[in-house]
Amino acid sequence: MTDTPHRNQPTADTTSGQHVVERNARVGQGGEVHQTPDSSGPRMTSMHGVPTSDNQNSLRAGARGPLLMEDFHFREKIFHFDHERIPERVVHARGYGAHGYFENYESLSDLTTADLFQRAGEKTETFTRFSTVLGNKGSPDMVRDVRGFATKFYTKQGNWDLVGNNIPVFFIQDAIKFPDIVHAGKPAPDRDFPQAQTAHDNFWDFISLMPESMHMIMWTMSDRAIPRGFRFIEGFGVHSFRMVNAEGVSRYVKFHWRPKLGLQSVLWDEALRINGADPDFHRRDLWDAIEMGDYPEWELGLQVFDDDFADAFAFDILDPTKIIPEEEVPLRMVGRLVLNRMPDNFFNETEQVAFCTQNIVPGLDFTNDPLLQGRNFSYLDTQLKRLGSPNFTQIPINAPRCPVHNFMQDGHMQNRGPKGRANYEPNSWSPGGPRADVEEGFRSYPEEISGVKRKLRPESFADHYSQARQFYLSQTPIEQRHIADALIFELSKIEVERITERVLTHLPIIDPNLAQNVASGLGMDLPDPAIPMIDPIDLPPSDALSILKMQKQSFKGRKMGIVVTDGIDDDVLDALLSGVKAAGAVAALIAARIAGVTTAGGAKLKAHYAAEAAPSALFDAVAVLASVDGVSTLTALHAARSFAADAMAHGKLIGMTGPASALFAAVGVEGRDAGMILLETVSDVDVFVTACAELRYWPRIEG
Ligand code: HDD
């Protein structure tokens, strides 16, 4: 059905219809005035199923008279609209979800009785929601922030929610501080800014007083916090969990999601441009990939260890500010997550999905990580606030796919009260309703616990700097520079100098060079370092902590922006388009005007973007295909010059025709470096597309 036939149709109300049509016609964009009788859509009804006769005009007394209270259709429509909003999530408000499945590579019956892990090749339905933490629901995607990575597994033994982030550690060690870190990071309560960023006094004031956050700060100041897309991030369960097998043997496990496309991040300067040009960059990227059938995948890796390892490890495995390096406990890859379907309705699914860390299934269990234990209270509580009823588990996106039976009843929006007379237990009715299952029901691991009841933090949580140093020293020099640059940017936004100084006192303990670079970048002297509770130890670097060391040499799943002008060579363009496709990537055509260009061979090409709407930061690599006659349309255009200048400044791999050098000359670039590849023949195109697997030509920008 198209909406064209509806335009400017007369309404059923013959007394006023014609006026409506004319008025709409005068504005030029009449839109739908009335449902025509031959509409192929279903019949419109009220919420109670009563057929609607007119959805455009209210019931009124006389053509120009007042509206009538009696118009139940009007009242119901406005009433429903007035109640459309629910509270956004207090954190992770901006998110985007997709359906998919998890598939086992092997049976994990050696580790756990969890049903979903028993059979190789078995698939379990999933829903995954990615998010930023600090920003409101309408904030831009490409902010410097942690990304949430939450997956609901609809298993045969109930729902398991793995609610993780793209960073394997957290800012704080005890959940009681969560409101403080979140308040400090969110906009200040008096002025309600800045939005969706940590570059402000309150955040750094709190951090500077909270040395346990230093490890996490290294991660959030790294390029991990500005990922290229959700498809290019890792996910981490963060805490140590338990897996318990049929013999009752418990082992600790840390969960890792590893993206099949490899890790990739953008540069900070690109992030700034992307947020302006496309605030939905991450959403669009996931939507486009799934809609075109290029389903993103992650492998699930487990770090499995026992009490002996935990006792010997240099840090407390219950401390959520610590990782276990992969060099010490390698990942066992046990399955894959495939996201293959976007929600039909964003609100119903992505907004109403309710993740709860306490949703685990038999065979899995918690540990005494004080952050995890606190989370297990918070998530259930927050879902009641957001969704308004303890029956939120009945919303289809939250409903288990296995049978649900219990004696819980009533409450707002109840659909599932117990049938029959029995609604309590024990009872002597027959049938007496559901009964607990001692054999297969969830049982907590019978860990022995003893100790004094006190508010305290164990000494085993006291080393706050060793792993921050390890993270920093595991990065490539480029990545180390980006961490320093991010700190310089963030700290330069602080208004109160003593806060900046206090942050600087921590950096020398992590690394003296980092500290000096940041202080120099700010034009400040380094203050005396803070005195750590425990002197840090030197740990061996871990390659898995570096994005660039983990990056895959591949252009698959990426996007090339191709600037075109009139008169370009058809063969080179065709070769480039098919080369990009063969690499598993997509191409977008950019022209001075959206109407597009005409090639030398006379083909009319419509552009995907007008130059003003497509800064080169939106693409992983770029090409400028300009003809001798066409290039002047680009050199005359500020957006095209910025495109070229930014592509250079961001170290993009650039393919270009000879005449395109005039565009680069217009922004002061003479000649070509090794990241700029001349596209004169079809075989040049192969060289260029192959080079794009590098994703960036670093020597141009990092020396
Ligand atoms: Fe949390 C949401 C991840 C600590 C309290 N958290 C939320 C989401 C993710 C995380 C991914 C969004 C889920 C979705 O998409 O709906 N949170 C984490 C991780 C943490 C963490 C990885 C540390 C390891 N969170 C944490 C603590 C508390 C909370 C310590 C409170 C004591 N988190 C919440 C919450 C949220 C939430 C208030 C807000 C919206 C929601 O739960 O559904 O309950």
Side-chain angles (χ1 to χ4, degrees), residues 305-317 328:
F305 53 98
D306 57 17
D307 278 312
D308 289 344
F309 173 86
D311 294 343
F313 186 54
F315 306 96
D316 197 325
I317 61 115
E328 291 196 52

Side-chain angles (χ1 to χ4, degrees), residues 89-90 92 129 164-165 170 178 355 375 378-379 382-383:
R89 289 164 171 84
V90 58
H92 296 266
R129 182 174 179 272
N165 282 338
F170 204 61
F178 190 66
F355 293 97
R375 292 179 74 192
S378 182
Y379 288 73
T382 211
Q383 306 312 350

